[in-house]
């Protein structure tokens, strides 16, 4: 099925996603630097962009930058004065990302913090909440990232998690993969969290079979 998923994604991207040079150059630079091919697909990047515009996001938090591909899609959704704070542990990934962000003309919109995300999160000023949080780093830490996302949010903040299906691996309760256990714990926390209204969607496409979790922070009860 993968060949069909990929060719159908190519059709969708060809018709609707019009990537410009900055986005194409970012993917080429990531490949040239041997980054893992874990960027969101172009049609997924545009979905994140549309979500950000739907809520008129001004402040976005991204956990897991890689080469900044999703960062560019998100940053382009923001109005004048908007900000993406993006967190990356790997200095080599961050270096490629910073160049890609500069190449897209977004250096003044994106603030890249190079450290393990839990360290960066503990240092972020808490006064201004984020409008949208995209969790896409080491999945074993998803439970801790969810706690931080809630701490840094307000009523109406949207929280999105990438890679919550992983070829169906997440429905195996006996999996010894700490990433699978992290995502399962993430789902359990969300299920028990009265502050969140959440769902998840499976996706197929050029990036295989996976899924997104999407939640919104409720008005305070
Ligand atoms: N959001 C990117 C893809 C991110 S891939 C995009 O769609 O374009 C996941 C990234 O998380 C990798 O670059 C990896 O180095 C980073 N990462 C892994 N563990 C991390 C940690 N503890 N803190 C911050 N980043 C981490
Ligand atoms: C992996 C991580 C991702 O964020 C992704 O989108 C795909 C794969 C991984 O660690 O294998
Ligand atoms: Mg991902």
């Amino acid at each position: 099925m993968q060949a069909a998923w990929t060719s159908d994604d190519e059709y969708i991207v060809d018709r609707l996603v019009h990537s410009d040079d900055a986005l194409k150059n970012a993917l080429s630079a990531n490949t040239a630097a041997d980054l893992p091919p874990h960027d969101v697909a172009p049609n997924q990047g545009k979905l994140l962009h549309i979500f950000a515009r739907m809520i008129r996001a001004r402040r976005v938090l991204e956990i897991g930058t890689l080469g900044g591909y999703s960062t560019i899609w998100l940053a382009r959704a923001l109005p004048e004065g908007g900000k993406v704070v993006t967190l990356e542990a790997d200095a080599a990934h961050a270096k490629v990302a910073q160049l890609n962000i500069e190449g897209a003309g977004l250096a003044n919109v994106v603030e890249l913090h190079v450290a393990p995300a839990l360290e960066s999160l503990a240092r972020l000023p808490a006064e201004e909440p984020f409008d949208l949080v995209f969790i896409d780093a080491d999945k074993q830490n998803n439970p801790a990232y969810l706690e931080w996302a809630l701490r840094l949010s307000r009523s109406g903040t949207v929280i999105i998690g990438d890679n919550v299906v992983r070829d169906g691996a997440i429905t195996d309760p006996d999996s010894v993969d700490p990433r699978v256990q992290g995502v399962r714990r993430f789902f359990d926390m969300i299920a028990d969290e009265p502050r969140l209204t959440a769902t998840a969607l499976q996706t197929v496409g050029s990036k295989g079979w996976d899924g997104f979790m999407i939640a919104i922070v409720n008005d305070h009860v």
Side-chain angles (χ1 to χ4, degrees):
M1 290 309 291
Q2 183 59 59
W5 296 344
T6 299
S7 63
D8 285 20
D9 252 5
E10 281 165 7
Y11 173 83
I12 291 166
V13 168
D14 177 62
R15 292 292 138 153
L16 303 182
V17 183
H18 308 134
S19 302
D20 62 5
D21 284 347
L23 286 163
K24 288 180 189 156
N25 291 344
L27 290 181
S28 309
N30 294 354
T31 307
D34 263 329
L35 265 49
H38 296 162
D39 336 76
V40 290
N43 46 344
Q44 296 173 335
K46 195 163 183 183
L47 181 71
L48 295 173
H49 171 96
I50 292 169
F51 282 152
R53 285 178 54 184
M54 283 167 73
I55 60 164
R56 290 176 160 58
R58 301 184 59 87
R59 285 174 53 76
V60 172
L61 172 64
E62 176 178 67
I63 306 175
T65 315
L66 188 63
Y69 184 72
S70 53
T71 319
I72 293 171
W73 276 112
L74 286 164
R76 285 179 166 180
L78 308 187
E80 189 71 31
K83 183 70 78 188
V84 179
V85 174
T86 186
L87 312 180
E88 175 55 54
D90 185 307
H93 295 182
K95 194 173 168 189
V96 177
Q98 187 61 42
L99 288 171
N100 286 335
I101 290 159
E102 285 166 15
L106 293 165
N108 57 339
V109 180
V110 178
E111 196 178 294
L112 171 59
H113 296 248
V114 188
L118 290 174
E119 291 176 18
S120 297
L121 287 162
R123 286 195 290 259
L124 285 184
E127 60 265 25
E128 225 188 325
F130 290 98
D131 306 309
L132 187 151
V133 182
F134 180 45
I135 301 175
D136 190 21
D138 48 333
K139 313 309 171 200
Q140 49 271 50
N141 277 321
N142 269 24
Y145 297 149
L146 180 66
E147 284 175 357
W148 275 108
L150 283 164
R151 208 168 289 150
L152 299 170
S153 69
R154 56 160 175 86
S155 302
T157 293
V158 169
I159 302 172
I160 301 170
D162 194 20
N163 312 114
V164 299
V165 176
R166 296 305 284 271
D167 294 314
I170 53 138
T171 52
D172 175 8
D174 302 320
S175 171
V176 294
D177 184 336
R179 296 169 303 179
V180 170
Q181 291 300 340
V183 174
R184 290 179 63 83
R185 178 86 194 99
F186 183 62
F187 271 114
D188 289 345
M189 287 171 69
I190 294 164
D192 292 340
E193 178 49 72
R195 288 172 290 179
L196 291 175
T197 298
T199 189
L201 278 184
Q202 301 186 70
T203 55
V204 294
S206 58
K207 297 285 169 168
W209 170 27
D210 215 322
F212 289 108
M213 187 291 298
I214 177 158
I216 187 163
V217 178
N218 295 323
D219 291 341
H220 291 302
V221 281

